């Protein structure tokens, strides 16, 4: 079974539709010891097929449009945060304290892009807020990797010890991950069948009229909601005022969306959010499992408050096992699951050619939402889909295969898949979306605005009028 078949089956798709997909295979796209190119392509392909399937149903087409995915577009999109330019300035993707460090017995990787994570890392080490890289390196060199992992996590920071694939397979969290499906899918209730609202016009926008509440941060969740915006959804990203976004990350990940700030600890803002929820069709969350439950935003609570929703939940480690409540990012998942050893060695860890766990899981998540809409039009029910970066990592490292045939062309760089636009943030260079089907959109309808400055209300007609 090909990677595309595996991913499409994980979404619950009809295998008879897979032949609608064709691929331009390019040598040199996402080079890696692991089959990153193949998994990345499969994630994009099934996302595009799910969009084409739902769009065909809404437009009353006699057949699902053909999907054509180009490895060059995929490779460029999977590096979107690196290709971004804002008025000619290159982005900042990793802070100085987000890196590998030698410890007394191996390696650890930290993530300190956000100020609060940096503060917690330094506080755990007993260092001043302005500590240099050299000072941090000296402090970590005196400790064991597992000691750093546990102490930094206990303080609310982010650090993960380097593990081999075998060590992760034997780890309790690794075993828990392996026992769960690539895409968790659940029907929570007997909410009525979703009516199929007709579409017309060009391009074909499968998600037109859909209202999406986006409660995600960093890459995977924003990739998913950015893709739903491409397909015509009104995506409203909601952030807490005490957790400001990194400017370059916002410029890359929030194209096509709107951005508002609400403090769910405040009564008035909770009321505003509740009003938004009454007309939402999809809620996407990307915070660590359980973090939003106190605001009534668990899947079960959302189903009670708004029956018929699609709830899409994303986490780093899965919402189960001893690490189920932990924070995490792509770079850290690579270190824990043995990917960093496979791409380098235990003596000199490496990394994937892109943050492929983030990007790939994001496209899978968008595809899962679109497939859930198709299922709701047939069977109804509030639908929940759950994905985890670590589960995508398990797919990448176990059971996937490289292409066996010759490539059709070479990947000669990103130029063909980059575009520019003016925005409130300045002149942007950005990666074009790789998800393509006949008659579908090829670019977003709007550039990103300023972070948090949009009103917390829906924009335009909703699904069904």
């Amino acid at each position: 079974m090909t990677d595309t078949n595996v991913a499409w089956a994980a979404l619950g798709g009809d295998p008879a539709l897979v032949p609608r997909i064709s691929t331009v295979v390019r040598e040199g796209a996402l080079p890696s010891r692991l089959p990153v190119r193949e998994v990345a392509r499969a994630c994009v392909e099934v996302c595009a097929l799910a969009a084409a399937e739902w769009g065909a149903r809404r437009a009353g087409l006699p057949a699902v449009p053909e999907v054509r995915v180009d490895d060059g577009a995929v490779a460029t999109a999977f590096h979107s945060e690196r290709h971004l330019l804002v008025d000619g300035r290159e982005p900042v993707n990793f802070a100085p304290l987000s890196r590998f460090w030698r410890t007394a017995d191996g390696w650890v990787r930290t993530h300190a892009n956000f100020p609060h994570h940096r503060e917690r890392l330094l506080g755990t080490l007993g260092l001043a807020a302005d500590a240099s890289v050299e000072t941090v390196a000296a402090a970590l060199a005196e400790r064991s990797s597992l000691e750093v992992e546990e102490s930094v996590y206990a303080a609310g920071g982010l650090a993960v010890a380097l593990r081999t694939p075998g060590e992760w397979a034997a780890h309790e969290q690794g075993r828990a991950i392996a026992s769960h499906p690539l895409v968790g899918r659940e029907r929570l209730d007997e909410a009525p069948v979703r009516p199929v609202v007709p579409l017309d016009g060009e391009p074909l926008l499968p998600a037109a009229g859909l209202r999406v509440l986006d409660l995600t941060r960093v890459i995977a969740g924003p990739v998913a909601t950015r893709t739903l915006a491409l397909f015509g959804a009104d995506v409203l990203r909601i952030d807490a005022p005490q957790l400001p976004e990194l400017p370059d990350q916002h410029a890359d990940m929030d194209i096509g969306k709107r951005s508002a700030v609400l403090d769910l600890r405040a009564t008035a803002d909770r009321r505003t959010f509740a009003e938004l929820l009454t007309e939402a069709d999809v809620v996407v969350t990307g915070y660590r499992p359980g973090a939003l439950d106190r605001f009534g935003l668990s899947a079960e609570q959302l189903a009670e408050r708004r029956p018929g929703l699609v709830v899409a939940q994303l986490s780093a480690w899965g919402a189960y096992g001893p690490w189920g409540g932990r924070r995490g990012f792509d770079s850290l998942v690579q270190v824990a699951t043995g990917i960093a050893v496979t791409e380098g060695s235990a003596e000199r860890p490496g990394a994937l050619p892109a943050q492929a766990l983030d990007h790939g899981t994001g496209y899978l998540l968008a595809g899962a939402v679109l497939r859930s809409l198709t299922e709701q039009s047939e069977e109804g029910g509030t639908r929940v889909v759950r994905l985890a970066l670590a589960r995508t990592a398990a797919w990448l490292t176990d059971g996937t295969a490289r292409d066996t045939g010759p490539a059709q062309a070479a990947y000669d760089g990103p130029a063909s898949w980059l575009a520019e636009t003016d925005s409130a943030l300045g002149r942007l260079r950005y990666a074009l979306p790789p998800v393509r089907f006949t008659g579908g959109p090829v670019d977003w309808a709007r550039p990103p605005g300023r972070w948090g400055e949009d009103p917390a209300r829906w924009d335009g007609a909703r699904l069904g009028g």
Side-chain angles (χ1 to χ4, degrees), residues 152-214:
V152 172
Y153 165 70
L158 291 148
V160 171
L162 181 71
R163 291 174 172 83
T164 66
E167 288 169 339
W168 180 248
H171 192 279
E172 189 175 352
Q173 188 64 30
R175 295 196 302 271
I177 288 289
S179 69
H180 282 75
L182 178 60
V183 179
R185 300 163 53 241
E186 187 178 357
R187 176 177 174 173
L188 293 183
D189 57 26
E190 299 299 320
V193 168
R194 176 185 290 273
V196 179
V197 180
L199 278 178
D200 56 20
E202 297 180 356
L204 177 59
L205 297 173
L210 202 71
R211 290 180 167 176
V212 179
L213 280 172
D214 176 6

Side-chain angles (χ1 to χ4, degrees), residues 320-334:
Y320 38 77
W323 286 16
R326 292 198 177 192
R327 301 172 180 85
F329 295 99
D330 182 309
S331 59
L332 303 182
V333 174
Q334 290 186 43

Side-chain angles (χ1 to χ4, degrees), residues 2 4-5 7-9 11-22 45-57 61-68 370-371 374-375 378 437:
T2 68
T4 301
N5 289 103
W8 187 239
L11 298 185
D14 180 357
L17 293 179
V18 174
R20 305 298 293 170
I21 300 172
S22 63
E45 286 176 339
V46 299
C47 179
L49 186 58
E53 177 192 32
W54 178 232
R57 180 162 301 195
L61 301 180
V64 172
E66 293 185 354
V67 169
R68 186 170 178 82
L370 293 161
R371 283 247 64 253
T374 297
E375 291 174 340
E378 299 168 345
F437 61 87

Side-chain angles (χ1 to χ4, degrees), residues 120-184:
R120 292 165 186 172
L121 171 64
L122 294 175
T124 302
L125 299 177
L127 300 177
D130 60 350
S132 67
V133 169
E134 292 75 18
T135 301
V136 175
L140 289 170
E142 297 176 352
R143 305 189 182 202
S144 73
S145 299
L146 290 179
E147 178 193 356
V148 173
E149 178 181 273
E150 290 302 320
S151 61
V152 172
Y153 165 70
L158 291 148
V160 171
L162 181 71
R163 291 174 172 83
T164 66
E167 288 169 339
W168 180 248
H171 192 279
E172 189 175 352
Q173 188 64 30
R175 295 196 302 271
I177 288 289
S179 69
H180 282 75
L182 178 60
V183 179

